[in-house]
Amino acid sequence: GLVACPIYDQLYIKRCHKCQGFGHYAKECSKATCCGICASSSHETQNCPHKESSDIQSVYRCCNCANAGKTGEDINHPAFSNECQSYRAQQDKLKASLSYYSKN
């Protein structure tokens, strides 16, 4: 007989590893550097001095959410977090552009 299987979209959002912005990659980026861990402009994520910290969660700061005007707890996550509100907004934008995507 027939079997019903759930199907999920895998939505891929381009993210730059230099500025942490969406829609492009580092090799095409002309924006300023922003660390994906602490949002510092003085180093890239791979060179973050906090990377090996035992209390790394205390230094998390998202460039994208900070640039969007968010403050406090809304920016206390790394830029590469799946829980990032800016990332989720990009996903929602992509979903809205897909004609087959269910709003349910």
Side-chain angles (χ1 to χ4, degrees):
L2 298 175
V3 176
C5 301
I7 297 176
Y8 303 96
D9 283 326
Q10 182 174 351
L11 302 173
Y12 182 74
I13 307 295
K14 284 185 186 179
R15 184 176 61 85
C16 175
H17 291 283
K18 179 184 172 202
C19 75
Q20 309 310 315
F22 302 109
H24 66 279
Y25 295 118
K27 66 182 178 183
E28 350 173 289
C29 185
S30 60
K31 296 180 182 178
T33 296
C34 184
C35 175
I37 295 172
C38 68
S40 172
S41 61
S42 67
H43 58 266
E44 292 186 5
T45 306
Q46 64 196 21
N47 300 322
C48 184
H50 305 290
K51 195 165 48 173
E52 303 300 323
S53 171
S54 60
D55 192 27
I56 193 168
Q57 291 179 344
S58 69
V59 298
Y60 281 157
R61 183 178 157 105
C62 177
C63 308
N64 295 312
C65 289
N67 290 340
K70 293 176 176 50
T71 59
E73 291 296 314
D74 289 338
I75 63 171
N76 293 344
H77 58 271
F80 46 84
S81 171
N82 288 334
E83 302 302 315
C84 173
Q85 291 177 15
S86 296
Y87 176 74
R88 290 193 171 198
Q90 290 293 315
Q91 284 185 317
D92 291 343
K93 186 176 167 183
L94 178 58
K95 287 175 187 176
S97 73
L98 301 175
S99 61
Y100 67 89
Y101 189 78
S102 171
K103 307 278 188 254
N104 298 341

